[in-house]
Amino acid sequence: METTAAFEGLTCVDCGETFDAGTATHRCPDCDGILDPSYDLDRIDLTPATLAGRPGESMWRYEELLPFTREVAVTLGEGDTPLVECPALAAAMGVGRVLLKDEGANPTGTFKDRGQSLATTAAREHGASDVALNSAGNAGQAAAAYAARADLDAHVFLPSRAGFTQKAMTEVHGADLTVTDPVGGNSQIGDAGRAYAAAMDDHPDWYSTKTFVTPYRHEGKKTMALELLEQLDWEAPDAVVYPTGGGVGLVGMHKAAREARELGWSDELVPMYAAQAAGCAPVVDAYEAGADRHEPLSDDQVDTACNGIAIPDPGASPLILEAIRESDGGAVATTDREILDAAITVAREEGLEIGATCAAAASGAFALADSGEFGPDDTVVLLNTGAGNKDVDTLRAHLGESEA
Ligand SMILES: *Cc1c(COP(=O)(O)O)cnc(C)c1O
Ligand SMILES: [Zn+2]
């Protein structure tokens, strides 16, 4: 395997055991915990000045802080996304600056590309011929794209509630798509997960790129925080508001902020705020209850149009809650009406297109501002995890409702 100089292997977040990345590929062989790539940061031969001289190009410009070398990367040019000033939102929230990190600019229109770039690279390094996952939609589409790029076969399991774009593009990329559709209702991500698990039992050679089953998706998403910090001259913002489902991006960004601090590139951690929809807010509930992990919701308790964060049982909630607390961030839930209103406000006031799911970050930031969480000089970053045009139906339908 073509690994980078500082990469040491995979450490289990539960039992603390460390494994060789050549042999351990997914969850902890001892206790089934989540494996996390670890580095000897003393061996990182990179400085902000060196980085400044590198072209943008892709997330692979942070190669030294990733497990695999750029030479073997499965890449479509993901990352290097813009950080856009939002003066009208800053005025409305009463803060110094609002910046929108626009992950909609990624190859398949969401930040899922960063995770799939790294996880698909790992799959190829491990000699896989097939990758498989269940997803709410965007990760499935991204997996199909990266598998096509790597010449692997992809098996994607989506619930019926996933968006048309995500289902269509998964097939356009040539993946084998299964849409779960139980009689009498819209199926949820858990249904897709059961279909995926049954298929994995039948095909033990399929290589999973599912959330927190592969150790590499949150690792790829680390690059969002590295980029953000670099765009801010390594000065941490006062808040990053992140639409949280499984928490892959939030956990990855927090890890990057810790590494940047340890390397002496920045002085502070990045306060991470989890934004969820009130119709599916297990992380916010756990945060408010002072709990270390979430209480799973049942599928029929899920009531939100925000597909990407309709995750009733986020298995990594202990990591999410730890990241929020350690970074001195927070958690906030808003209603679908507030969320979709916020998407339309951002589109009209700033001209920026944000997806329905991502709008939870915008409405969450408004709610936090209202509750006095931010100061008048604060810099608040909204993570726009995906492009508005992936959710046109939901946004247009809301327009009809709100103007009726
Ligand atoms: C997957 C997804 C999320 C949630 O991501 P996590 O990192 O798993 O919390 C948010 N927004 C969009 C658009 C997504 O596709
Ligand atoms: Zn373990």
Side-chain angles (χ1 to χ4, degrees):
M1 287 209 308
E2 296 297 321
T3 53
T4 46
F7 179 50
E8 288 186 306
L10 302 169
T11 304
C12 174
V13 302
D14 286 336
C15 73
E17 199 64 50
T18 295
F19 301 91
D20 183 87
T23 48
T25 59
H26 290 87
R27 301 281 291 216
C28 174
D30 288 355
C31 78
D32 201 38
I34 290 169
L35 292 181
D36 185 36
S38 53
Y39 303 83
D40 177 356
L41 294 182
D42 292 338
R43 298 192 61 191
I44 301 266
D45 185 18
L46 185 66
T47 63
T50 314
L51 269 171
R54 280 185 190 174
E57 235 167 274
S58 80
M59 71 176 210
W60 290 89
R61 67 198 291 277
Y62 302 102
E63 166 188 47
E64 286 88 343
L65 280 162
L66 295 172
F68 304 106
T69 62
R70 185 183 191 130
E71 228 169 65
V72 300
V74 179
T75 177
L76 294 167
E78 56 292 320
D80 192 29
T81 59
L83 185 66
V84 185
E85 197 81 48
C86 299
L89 298 184
M93 289 181 201
V95 299
R97 294 174 89 186
V98 172
L99 298 162
L100 183 131
K101 178 76 174 150
D102 197 358
E103 292 292 303
N106 276 300
T108 76
T110 75
F111 76 126
K112 292 292 196 300
D113 291 340
R114 298 180 190 256
Q116 286 302 325
S117 175
L118 194 60
T120 311
T121 300
R124 196 163 67 177
E125 287 297 292
H126 285 129
S129 60
D130 293 67
V131 293
L133 78 170
N134 69 302
S135 143
N138 289 325
Q141 180 182 341
Y146 284 84
R149 183 74 175 186
D151 202 17
L152 304 176
D153 290 330
H155 307 275
V156 175
F157 296 81
L158 302 182
S160 52
R161 63 167 294 160
F164 174 75
T165 307
Q166 289 82 346
K167 291 173 191 159
M169 290 312 295
T170 296
E171 289 196 303
V172 169
H173 285 299
D176 156 34
L177 170 67
T178 303
V179 178
T180 55
D181 198 6
V183 190
N186 233 0
S187 71
Q188 302 283 350
I189 189 158
D191 297 299
R194 283 181 283 279
Y196 151 88
M200 289 299 280
D201 283 345
D202 291 342
H203 302 277
D205 59 312
W206 286 2
Y207 187 100
S208 178
T209 59
K210 178 180 155 92
T211 298
F212 284 123
V213 172
T214 165
Y216 298 111
R217 277 174 60 173
H218 68 287
E219 199 64 13
K221 290 176 180 180
K222 241 173 54 172
T223 56
M224 287 193 290
L226 295 173
E227 254 175 56
L228 172 66
L229 284 168
E230 194 180 0
Q231 285 167 316
L232 294 171
D233 281 328
W234 301 100
E235 181 125 355
D238 300 291
V240 168
V241 189
Y242 180 89
T244 303
V248 184
L250 191 151
V251 168
M253 288 185 76
H254 179 62
K255 182 179 180 188
R258 281 171 65 164
E259 288 174 348
R261 191 176 62 168
E262 217 169 307
L263 286 162
W265 298 357
S266 63
D267 295 333
E268 315 260 6
L269 292 177
V270 176
M272 297 298 304
Y273 288 80
Q276 297 197 300
C280 186
V283 170
V284 178
D285 291 345
Y287 177 77
E288 286 176 352
D292 292 336
R293 65 162 42 248
H294 73 290
E295 292 286 345
L297 303 178
S298 66
D299 279 358
D300 52 17
Q301 287 175 301
V302 176
D303 184 14
T304 171
C306 304
N307 280 334
I309 52 174
I311 311 291
D313 189 12
S317 67
L319 300 182
I320 305 172
L321 291 159
E322 188 183 279
I324 294 172
R325 291 183 176 127
E326 191 182 59
S327 68
D328 203 15
V332 62
T334 49
T335 64
D336 272 23
R337 170 170 279 275
E338 293 167 317
I339 291 170
L340 296 171
D341 280 351
I344 286 159
T345 300
V346 172
R348 293 187 174 181
E349 299 294 319
E350 302 288 3
L352 291 163
E353 300 187 357
I354 68 177
T357 297
C358 324
S363 69
F366 274 114
L368 289 164
D370 277 350
S371 71
E373 183 77 17
F374 304 140
D377 298 324
D378 279 4
T379 296
V380 175
V381 176
L382 308 181
L383 223 300
N384 182 37
T385 42
N389 65 16
K390 290 195 120 184
D391 285 325
V392 280
D393 294 350
T394 312
L395 297 178
R396 183 66 184 79
H398 182 67
L399 209 52
E401 276 167 31
S402 55
E403 286 175 357

